Amino acid sequence: MSIYDVIPVSVADYRRRARRRLPGFLFHYIDGGANDEDTLAANVSDFRRYRLQQRVMRNVDSVDTAATLAGRVARMPVALAPVGMAGMFARRGEVQAARAASRAGIPFTASTVGICPVEEIAAATGEPFWFQLYMLRDRDLVRQLLERARGAGCDVLAFTVDLPVPGMRLRDYRNGMLGGGIPGKLSQLAQIASSPLWAVDVGLRGGPLNFGNLRDVVPDPDDLNVYKAFIDAQFDPTVTWEDIAWLRSVWQGKLLIKGVLEADDARAAVDAGADGVIVSNHGARQLDGVASGISKLAGVAAAVGQRTEIYLDGGVRSGIDVLKAVALGARGVLIGRPWVYAMAARGETGVVNLLDVFQREIATAMALMGVNTLDEITGELIEPAP
Ligand SMILES: Cc1cc2nc3c(=O)[nH]c(=O)nc-3n(C[C@H](O)[C@H](O)[C@H](O)COP(=O)(O)O)c2cc1C
């Protein structure tokens, strides 16, 4: 970084700043992927396997980046992906991100394991948002959770299906975030001590630091480790497509199945009654060695694109990436780490600024591709890189 780099613009800029501000174990919790992180790298680099086409001499005086995402018009085909524990990365992180999304005119998705409960998010924005569900063994608890989400104004449910068990993220073990015992705790304290801005913003002023959506059902609401043990015991690995019928009986809003890569699974999701699928490998945090979402998108689009809405996440780092996903068949994309880096670095303002850059990148690229609307972006405007 040079003295000229004063204003963060790109995801990489915000990542650098987030790294400086956060305790190491939290930065690596966000930044890391499963095992050797091969898929993590592929999620980003596979976008470069595609080239957009430059089309000229067309009237592009009325470029419009708007898209209809799960039934509601958004300013661009982008939503904020669910990210657990966002309130650990900046003070009341979910609220800041939801406000930023609302200012940018796009959907925010609240995670089951967020720090801020859905009611707090609803009170802060007064706007509908999306809710993400992990299936818990206690179905009554799931039903109550969905009732709360509905009551808070969530009308879209993203049901995550790629986490029957948590993936092996080696960075989390290495830096003491998981299973570190007393050495891990001491290491965490040292990392916190060298992150004073974060310690004041989140440690002192960011409470309560517990999983707000689950706080009434966990024995010790203020001990994150107790929470984690509860959640690990509650995540239900027995779930199959048959459970979607039950989910449908307790959720009347839109249902997106998040975490599908294969065409057959996408077909099963649609057959089970989903309104859409999110092509995703969970930001490469689960199965390392699996394909990137972007490389699987066209296959899923060919299989179910006529029957359902398709979204993509994983590795989207710019407006250009968004348009590549649209050209390959996505109605829209979700971004995870990009918004978290921006929020950890600069809070709500950081997320708003990053989303503004995305929107301008999309609008500019659309004009240079010779289109005025996203509907005009078809497979004819994208080609494999040589
Ligand atoms: C720190 C972190 C926490 C996440 N927590 C959740 C979660 O609680 N629920 C979920 O469905 N996905 C979760 N994800 C996955 C994201 O929703 C999304 O699929 C992924 O981040 C997209 O990849 P990207 O980070 O490259 O944009 C998480 C991702 C990260 C980075």
Side-chain angles (χ1 to χ4, degrees), residues 321-339:
D321 291 344
V322 175
L323 292 184
K324 287 180 179 176
V326 170
L328 291 169
R331 175 174 285 255
V333 305
L334 287 77
I335 54 172
R337 293 178 185 84
W339 75 257

Side-chain angles (χ1 to χ4, degrees), residues 142-269:
V142 173
R143 205 177 36 72
Q144 288 165 27
L145 207 51
L146 294 179
E147 266 168 28
R148 282 176 61 191
R150 189 79 183 168
C154 299
D155 52 359
V156 178
L157 182 68
F159 176 44
T160 301
V161 295
D162 57 8
L163 205 142
V165 296
M168 287 289 294
R169 290 193 299 273
L170 304 190
R171 294 200 214 182
D172 294 348
Y173 291 95
R174 210 173 274 135
N175 63 36
M177 173 109 177
L178 288 177
I182 290 174
K185 281 268 166 310
L186 290 175
S187 158
Q188 280 192 19
L189 284 176
Q191 294 171 48
I192 290 171
S194 56
S195 312
L197 292 176
W198 175 88
V200 172
D201 183 42
V202 178
L204 287 181
R205 303 172 64 200
L209 294 177
N210 54 40
F211 293 106
N213 295 323
L214 301 167
R215 72 176 163 216
D216 296 337
V217 292
V218 184
D220 182 351
D222 290 321
D223 184 338
L224 272 185
N225 288 319
V226 174
Y227 258 117
K228 195 168 175 324
F230 166 85
I231 284 164
D232 286 351
Q234 267 293 335
F235 275 28
D236 188 351
T238 69
V239 177
T240 67
W241 293 117
E242 261 105 75
D243 292 279
I244 302 291
W246 176 81
L247 197 54
R248 267 288 178 217
S249 74
V250 292
W251 177 260
Q252 277 75 47
K254 296 255 187 203
L255 176 63
L256 308 178
I257 303 291
K258 175 173 183 284
V260 167
L261 284 181
E262 301 300 333
D264 276 351
D265 283 342
R267 275 188 212 99

Side-chain angles (χ1 to χ4, degrees), residues 278-299:
I278 303 175
V279 176
S280 169
N281 55 27
H282 211 102
R285 299 166 75 79
Q286 288 294 101
L287 179 61
D288 194 29
V290 79
S292 64
I294 192 71
S295 70
K296 287 289 189 178
L297 177 57

Side-chain angles (χ1 to χ4, degrees), residues 29-32 43-44 81-84 89 111-113 132 134 160 162 258 280-285 313-317 334-338 340:
Y29 174 70
I30 299 162
D31 198 60
N43 269 3
V44 173
V83 167
F89 314 134
S111 165
T112 295
V113 289
Q132 174 268 331
Y134 284 126
T160 301
D162 57 8
K258 175 173 183 284
S280 169
N281 55 27
H282 211 102
R285 299 166 75 79
D313 77 21
V316 175
R317 297 293 177 264
L334 287 77
I335 54 172
R337 293 178 185 84
V340 182

